Amino acid sequence: MMIKNSPSGELGIIHNFNAGPSILPQEVIEQASKAILNFNDSGLSILEIGHRTSLFESVMEEARSLVKELMNLDDDHEVLFLHGGASTQFMQIPMNLLNEKDTAAFADTGVWSSKAIKEAKLFGNVDVVCSSKDHAFNFIPKDFAVPNDAKYFHITTNNTIYGTQWQEIPEVSVPLIADMSSDILSRKRNFNAFALIYAGAQKNMGAAGANLVVVNKNILGKVNRAIPTIMDYRNHIKEKSMLNTPPVFAVYVSMLTLRWIKENGGVEAFEKRNNKKAELLYNAIDNSSIFIPTVNKPDRSKMNVCFVMEDKEIEKKFLDFAEENNVYGIKGHRLVGGFRASLYNALPISSVEYLVEKMEEFEKNL
Ligand SMILES: Cc1ncc(COP(=O)(O)O)c(C=O)c1O
């Protein structure tokens, strides 16, 4: 929530429902702004300090240890902040874990899973063990089996575009890998059950430019291909995520966001708030006669709430009405249409209450 100039030129509160990059805590934005001018009273900007200075090394160390603490990770799990966004992980994972003759299993639950599948095929075999493609990705598959000889099983815990989310983590006998880009740190999970977790920071964890990778070190070093130095997770682990110049400012913003999450009760507290926000909005949609949910109840995402209207003209009117009322970023992804309200950690409950109020007002005056 931010005070700034609205499109009508007046000062107002902006309710930011963007899917990513997305809302950040106001405190984080203020601290990051100060650090651009004078970082930790060094007289230098965070943008102009060397990454091998103790000033930045302590930022990286704090960011990594906060992830460990907030996700309750054991000693086998290493934390890295890398470049290249979540999309780089689509190829870096199979490069590190999949031999040419090996098979990786995937759940295909949308665009991001499909992209991960496409890249894995460059390195080995892929077995898509379940898919919701035939139903416009509007549910999470339940009945499937992962072969015991698969090298790993990959899921996308939250499908940002379609608004579906794995509520339960599937129990499988092979290493589990998850793209958590759009629900990282938003709810409790047994994170140690995962062999590898990755997430672009730009939704729940900070600004664009940094990519979180949590990896169980025991799964590494088992492929027989040559891995380029910068792509080999082991090198990043050895160098404590400082193999080359890290995305300094983006890591700093992530560190501030992680501190903010800790100060505000940690993942458990955010899960409670996020559940409340999602419940408020889904109730409003379910009780409305013009807004239609696109996802069946059990699979609904607590992070990205997708809904449509029957009449596309009225959809357009509501979008205009929302923007006039300082509700930003609720246009649905072009593949789904309609609306998508993203309820990431930094979005206050008051913004959801406000959106619901505006939805009711619009419906009443239609
Ligand atoms: C679930 C998911 N995975 C991957 C990506 C791609 O992330 P990046 O743009 O950081 O490569 C996104 C982007 O929105 C996403 O939502």
Side-chain angles (χ1 to χ4, degrees):
M1 185 159 44
M2 252 199 168
I3 311 279
K4 49 178 137 172
N5 284 322
S6 70
S8 55
E10 291 159 17
L11 275 182
I13 293 169
I14 300 273
H15 302 274
N16 182 357
F17 293 89
N18 274 318
S22 34
I23 185 165
L24 281 170
Q26 187 64 19
E27 297 95 298
V28 167
I29 291 174
E30 278 164 19
Q31 287 165 48
S33 312
K34 279 190 195 138
I36 286 183
L37 294 172
N38 180 4
F39 177 53
N40 278 6
D41 283 330
S42 64
L44 295 169
S45 165
I46 178 89
L47 304 177
E48 56 182 4
I49 57 164
H51 63 290
R52 305 245 176 244
T53 55
S54 58
L55 273 172
F56 181 71
E57 274 170 1
S58 62
V59 171
M60 180 61 97
E61 267 327 290
E62 187 173 345
R64 292 173 75 218
S65 78
L66 280 167
V67 169
K68 276 212 132 180
E69 185 183 340
L70 291 166
M71 293 174 77
N72 222 347
L73 295 172
D74 62 28
D75 289 342
D76 286 335
H77 285 79
E78 298 280 352
V79 178
L80 303 171
F81 283 90
L82 305 179
H83 291 270
S87 303
T88 300
Q89 293 310 306
F90 297 161
M91 61 108 173
Q92 194 168 356
I93 291 167
M95 188 186 281
N96 277 265
L97 301 181
L98 194 64
N99 277 317
E100 229 175 289
K101 297 221 157 44
D102 290 339
T103 298
F106 280 78
D108 185 12
T109 53
V111 163
W112 301 114
S113 312
S114 310
K115 288 188 191 234
I117 290 167
K118 177 169 175 255
E119 298 303 294
K121 283 181 180 165
L122 298 172
F123 297 91
N125 301 310
V126 165
D127 181 1
V128 178
V129 297
C130 58
S131 172
S132 45
K133 194 173 182 175
D134 290 347
H135 294 266
F137 296 115
N138 70 359
F139 73 98
I140 296 290
K142 309 284 180 314
D143 290 326
F144 59 87
V146 177
N148 288 335
D149 60 350
K151 275 287 141 186
Y152 57 84
F153 177 46
H154 178 286
I155 62 171
T156 311
T157 48
N158 185 72
N159 297 282
T160 328
I161 294 174
Y162 309 90
T164 62
Q165 188 174 30
W166 292 75
Q167 305 304 336
E168 303 289 334
I169 294 306
E171 278 184 29
V172 289
S173 59
V174 304
L176 187 58
I177 293 187
D179 176 355
M180 291 195 189
S181 291
S182 48
D183 65 356
I184 190 84
L185 299 167
S186 71
R187 59 188 292 165
K188 272 178 60 190
R189 304 248 195 219
N190 176 11
F191 298 109
N192 289 312
F194 293 85
L196 193 149
I197 294 167
Y198 62 102
Q202 65 270 22
K203 300 175 201 294
N204 256 332
M205 266 198 59
N211 186 26
L212 173 71
V213 174
V214 171
V215 57
N216 184 330
K217 57 188 174 212
N218 301 317
I219 61 165
L220 302 175
K222 294 181 183 161
V223 284
N224 48 31
R225 75 170 53 81
I227 304 173
T229 309
I230 199 74
M231 285 290 129
D232 191 328
Y233 294 120
R234 289 172 302 174
N235 297 330
H236 289 281
I237 292 170
K238 206 162 98 212
E239 296 300 326
K240 299 188 162 65
S241 207
M242 300 271 271
L243 179 62
N244 66 328
T245 314
V248 170
F249 186 62
V251 172
Y252 179 64
V253 178
S254 280
M255 188 277 279
L256 293 176
T257 310
L258 290 159
R259 261 190 202 165
W260 175 84
I261 292 174
K262 183 177 169 181
E263 281 160 14
N264 286 280
V267 175
E268 200 169 348
F270 278 94
E271 178 171 16
K272 285 195 187 121
R273 273 173 229 149
N274 291 331
N275 284 346
K276 220 179 199 169
K277 289 186 280 180
E279 194 186 339
L280 254 173
L281 187 49
Y282 282 119
N283 276 346
I285 296 166
D286 288 337
N287 291 331
S288 147
S289 56
I290 57 167
F291 297 105
I292 308 162
T294 57
V295 176
N296 289 340
K297 272 188 183 161
D299 299 327
R300 286 176 176 176
S301 166
K302 312 264 174 75
M303 292 282 96
N304 310 101
V305 177
C306 294
F307 50 109
V308 293
M309 281 178 180
E310 249 164 40
D311 187 329
K312 299 296 151 206
E313 279 304 303
I314 306 181
E315 263 184 4
K316 166 95 187 51
K317 274 192 189 149
F318 180 68
L319 276 179
D320 292 343
F321 172 78
E323 200 145 306
E324 278 158 26
N325 284 283
N326 290 344
V327 170
Y328 277 13
I330 60 159
K331 191 171 187 328
H333 190 278
R334 64 186 183 283
L335 291 171
V336 179
F339 315 103
R340 169 178 55 179
S342 298
L343 314 181
Y344 298 127
N345 284 352
L347 185 87
I349 292 180
S350 55
S351 280
V352 182
E353 287 166 344
Y354 180 80
L355 172 60
V356 166
E357 205 180 287
K358 290 294 148 193
M359 287 163 70
E360 287 168 356
E361 185 183 320
F362 182 83
E363 185 167 347
K364 207 169 85 199
N365 295 328
L366 200 61

